[in-house]
Amino acid sequence: MTVTTSDIEKAAEVLRAGGLVALPTETVYGLGANAEDPAAVARIFQVKGRPPSHPLIVHIGDAKQLDDWVEEVPTTARLLAEHFWPGPLTLVLRRGRRVPLEATGGLQTVAMRVPDHPVAHALLSAFGGGVTAPSANRFGSVSPTTADHVRAELGDAVEFVLDGGACTVGVESTIVDATGEIPSILRPGGVTREDLEAVLGYSIAVSSASRVRVPGQHPSHYAPRARVVLVEPEKVVIEAEQAQELGHQVGVLLPTSIAGAAVKAHAVVAVPPSVAAYAHGLFGILREFDQRGCDLIVASLPMEEGLGLAIANRLRRAAGPRPS
């Protein structure tokens, strides 16, 4: 669908009026609100069913605007912004006065990003401010990568949906804690650890337990309705067939190492041969299993390098313990 100038202006007016706009980014679709309007930000939490202690990402139109939103920009943060913005990288920095605590989950840090999508850029330019935009889905469920995903899940709870087509990256941004001297990855995503290290010139850690709360850290996240079970690649077929024999409607993510293997299951989807294609299609595949009536999904983790690190993170969260 082509987004017109009229669409952009209407979406900007919705934001100015305190409403919610679903907007495409290169990663996933976001549920956007005026970042400086506490009441509008609160509506995001209400619509998503998201705990108010979970901080949001503030999207801005240009790296030059960063100083307007944060207390200070360390040299390392500026270096990363110069190399990866616009793009799927989020930097956690000290909150400036412009950012309400409602957007940060009560923290004195704020997550900032410049998205790399022409529709998002056009909206941010027309609106003229920052937009808080977590993924446009119910809290904990599979992130949307098309406008149809947004409409199916949130319906008329969103005043306006900008349909910019399918997201190109398909997994969320990489979140980096840039508040200290040595940055660390709080959530793997569209910018790989290897890319970050090439720019920084040294190794950085992926933090499993951080003092900074950021999106995507809940034990169960990115989860379809079907329960997800992770096994070693060579055990996928036997695990799936045993579950099918026990009466489950099983969906199988067939790893590339056993591509073409015959498996008795309700639905079988082959893992795309390239890691970029896998990241791009992951959330759509999980949604497909739900749509086909699966109640159990059997999958394995990819090699945790490059974008494989982000894919493995999403699958682990999808397989995490569900709230009772």
Side-chain angles (χ1 to χ4, degrees), residues 116-284:
D116 187 15
H117 194 288
V119 174
H121 269 283
L123 177 59
L124 287 164
S125 178
F127 176 58
V131 173
T132 49
S135 56
N137 56 278
R138 302 292 179 187
F139 178 70
S141 68
V142 180
S143 302
T145 52
T146 70
D148 284 342
H149 293 163
V150 178
R151 296 186 186 103
E153 187 153 354
L154 298 182
D156 58 8
V158 184
E159 280 84 349
F160 198 76
V161 178
L162 286 169
D163 189 344
C167 301
T168 54
V169 176
V171 293
E172 291 82 358
S173 61
T174 302
I175 300 179
V176 170
D177 180 359
T179 58
E181 291 185 11
I182 304 298
S184 62
I185 297 173
L186 304 182
R187 180 183 71 183
V191 172
T192 68
R193 175 170 56 183
E194 293 85 350
D195 288 339
L196 292 168
E197 290 175 344
V199 168
L200 294 170
Y202 52 81
S203 299
I204 58 174
V206 179
S207 177
S208 57
S210 170
R211 59 187 173 80
V212 179
R213 294 195 308 274
V214 294
Q217 288 183 318
H218 196 269
S220 176
H221 217 83
Y222 318 109
R225 291 191 300 274
R227 185 166 64 90
V228 178
V229 174
L230 299 176
V231 298
E232 295 299 319
E234 64 273 12
K235 295 181 180 178
V236 166
V237 171
I238 186 65
E239 181 77 20
E241 292 185 342
Q242 288 177 347
Q244 190 77 20
E245 289 173 2
L246 290 173
H248 288 286
Q249 297 286 85
V250 180
V252 181
L253 255 172
L254 198 64
T256 54
S257 60
I258 53 171
V263 52
K264 297 176 182 178
H266 181 68
V268 179
V269 176
V271 169
S274 80
V275 69
Y278 192 7
H280 172 76
L282 174 63
F283 290 147

Side-chain angles (χ1 to χ4, degrees), residues 8-184:
I8 295 296
E9 289 298 334
K10 182 175 179 180
E13 284 300 321
V14 170
L15 291 175
R16 293 187 191 104
L20 302 183
V21 173
L23 66 148
T25 76
E26 76 280 21
T27 57
V28 300
Y29 272 72
L31 182 60
N34 180 354
E36 296 178 83
D37 183 343
V41 171
R43 280 202 59 211
I44 288 179
F45 291 94
Q46 179 185 6
V47 168
K48 284 179 61 72
R50 182 186 181 101
S53 60
H54 284 236
L56 306 177
I57 296 173
V58 176
H59 295 69
I60 55 176
D62 193 286
K64 296 175 183 177
Q65 300 169 10
L66 186 58
D67 294 274
D68 297 334
W69 293 88
V70 301
E71 188 176 272
E72 62 175 335
V73 184
T75 302
T76 297
R78 206 171 294 280
L79 174 67
L80 293 176
E82 288 172 357
H83 277 81
F84 297 108
W85 282 358
L89 175 69
T90 293
L91 297 174
V92 176
L93 297 161
R94 299 294 178 190
R95 178 183 73 94
R97 293 182 180 180
R98 192 171 180 178
V99 184
L101 288 171
E102 286 83 357
T104 69
L107 300 176
Q108 293 302 323
T109 54
V110 60
M112 303 293 305
R113 181 163 105 85
V114 178
D116 187 15
H117 194 288
V119 174
H121 269 283
L123 177 59
L124 287 164
S125 178
F127 176 58
V131 173
T132 49
S135 56
N137 56 278
R138 302 292 179 187
F139 178 70
S141 68
V142 180
S143 302
T145 52
T146 70
D148 284 342
H149 293 163
V150 178
R151 296 186 186 103
E153 187 153 354
L154 298 182
D156 58 8
V158 184
E159 280 84 349
F160 198 76
V161 178
L162 286 169
D163 189 344
C167 301
T168 54
V169 176
V171 293
E172 291 82 358
S173 61
T174 302
I175 300 179
V176 170
D177 180 359
T179 58
E181 291 185 11
I182 304 298
S184 62

